[in-house]
Amino acid sequence: MVNLLNYRGINSQITYRFASGQDGDGAFVIDDSAGIIRVAKNLDRESVAEYHLVAFAVDGGEDPNQTPVDILVQLQDQNDNAPVFPSSEIHAEIEENQSDGEYVITIQAVDPDEGLNAHIIYNLQDGDTNSFAIDSRSGVITTSIPLDYEEKSEYRVKVRATSSPFFKDATVVIHILDVNDNWPILENFDVIFNNYQGHFEDGVIGRVPAYDPDINDVLEYSILNGNQNSHLLVNSSTGQIVINPTLTISDLNQRISFVVEVSGKWRRALQGSETQEKLLESDSILQF
Ligand SMILES: [Ca+2]
Ligand SMILES: [Ca+2]
Ligand SMILES: [Ca+2]
Ligand SMILES: [Ca+2]
């Protein structure tokens, strides 16, 4: 409320009014006789922080004189806004096997208020709260334990930003990135097969039973030793086994021992050319 009585002269005929269009877009009204300015509607500092008004004091003479006065109305902030996240779902990535306390992401909400009314406190409200921690002031999220991609590849925590009594929640989805930390897994095996009506099967007769828990890894297969007469051929990329098409009837009923080498070759550029190898022993019998 602003009182323009100081502009009242000895002439009791003085009236007050806003200059045309200078009433803050209808936000204020002025009492024409008392000069008291009042708020005419709800004001929101976050929408309009200050108003520049112009009012006149007009005397009652035949040729009225009017004196303009500039009025600056500044709105004081009240804490009437919750913090705002840029998105209700935020995504982050971190490689597996990082030690605890490793940086993941900085969460930043914005509070439309000002000063203390815009101070934000962060906390982990829900979700995988045992695996991550958040700094209540900075919003920095760190790991609490080493994370294993093969055990769990995606975590979710609900982060709460509080400007008491207001708060807002957002979900942070943390994707664990796979690194090459597993050997290929394989078992010894037997390949027993028969020929068909005097000739050897010319299709795939089996596959080396190996896989790698690192889903992004790619295995390569080769026969390291044994299989002296090259009775069997192993496809280097699929591990599929076929009989050498050059075999003759004299090669029947032989026991063939061989060792297959299975290499996990990591193909992500960041991992360089690190290779893991495993050996696999097998017995095979060519027979009718
Ligand atoms: Ca406010
Ligand atoms: Ca606030
Ligand atoms: Ca792992
Ligand atoms: Ca892995």
Side-chain angles (χ1 to χ4, degrees):
M1 185 175 77
V2 178
N3 193 325
L4 295 185
L5 282 178
N6 287 343
Y7 295 90
R8 182 192 292 267
I10 57 172
N11 189 335
S12 63
Q13 298 299 311
I14 288 178
T15 58
Y16 303 91
R17 62 178 176 81
F18 282 121
S20 177
Q22 301 295 311
D23 62 350
D25 216 13
F28 300 93
V29 292
I30 189 167
D31 183 305
D32 60 355
S33 59
I36 294 172
I37 296 174
R38 290 187 169 84
V39 172
K41 61 183 183 183
N42 286 336
L43 303 182
D44 178 20
R45 190 203 66 85
E46 283 71 57
S47 298
V48 182
E50 61 182 36
Y51 292 86
H52 297 267
L53 312 177
V54 179
F56 287 112
V58 186
D59 70 20
E62 247 179 49
D63 187 15
N65 295 311
Q66 54 185 27
T67 306
V69 56
D70 295 323
I71 302 158
L72 173 63
V73 180
Q74 292 177 310
L75 303 193
Q76 290 182 339
D77 186 39
Q78 288 195 345
N79 188 19
D80 59 347
N81 286 281
V84 178
F85 283 105
S87 170
S88 61
E89 188 168 290
I90 300 160
H91 292 261
E93 294 181 339
I94 183 172
E95 286 188 343
E96 63 173 323
N97 304 334
Q98 303 287 327
S99 58
D100 56 309
E102 186 70 21
Y103 175 85
V104 178
I105 193 174
T106 301
I107 301 302
Q108 290 259 263
V110 175
D111 194 304
D113 298 313
E114 67 176 3
L116 289 175
N117 294 336
H119 272 208
I120 298 173
I121 300 291
Y122 300 95
N123 73 296
L124 298 183
Q125 189 69 19
D126 206 356
D128 296 307
T129 53
N130 292 330
S131 303
F132 300 93
I134 191 167
D135 184 284
S136 63
R137 290 289 177 184
S138 66
V140 170
I141 292 179
T142 52
T143 58
S144 297
I145 55 171
L147 305 171
D148 179 8
Y149 174 88
E150 282 73 31
E151 183 183 320
K152 187 172 181 177
S153 61
E154 184 182 295
Y155 291 79
R156 302 174 87 89
V157 287
K158 184 159 79 177
V159 175
R160 175 162 293 181
T162 301
S163 168
S164 187
F166 305 101
F167 62 85
K168 192 78 176 178
D169 294 335
T171 299
V172 180
V173 184
I174 299 149
H175 305 272
I176 309 304
L177 301 179
D178 191 16
V179 303
N180 189 13
D181 61 345
N182 287 281
W183 293 88
I185 291 177
L186 35 79
E187 295 172 355
N188 290 339
F189 66 103
D190 292 330
V191 182
I192 298 174
F193 51 93
N194 301 314
N195 78 327
Y196 291 81
Q197 297 173 345
H199 72 278
F200 289 113
E201 175 69 30
D202 58 3
V204 173
I205 61 168
R207 182 184 169 278
V208 176
Y211 74 97
D212 194 309
D214 298 311
I215 59 164
N216 294 309
D217 208 348
V218 177
L219 298 184
E220 291 188 4
Y221 304 81
S222 62
I223 294 178
L224 191 64
N225 58 51
N227 191 33
Q228 283 85 357
N229 297 318
S230 299
H231 290 97
L232 300 176
L233 304 175
V234 174
N235 185 297
S236 64
S237 58
T238 65
Q240 290 174 330
I241 302 168
V242 298
I243 299 172
N244 191 330
T246 64
L247 293 189
T248 66
I249 203 80
S250 63
D251 293 305
L252 287 175
N253 294 320
Q254 294 188 39
R255 174 174 288 274
I256 306 155
S257 294
F258 59 96
V259 175
V260 179
E261 180 185 67
V262 181
S263 302
K265 183 177 285 186
W266 195 252
R267 292 206 168 170
R268 289 184 59 217
L270 281 176
Q271 298 301 315
S273 59
E274 182 184 354
T275 298
Q276 296 177 336
E277 297 176 348
K278 277 282 189 176
L279 303 180
L280 186 63
E281 292 185 357
S282 175
D283 286 326
S284 298
I285 303 173
L286 299 180
Q287 60 184 190
F288 285 111

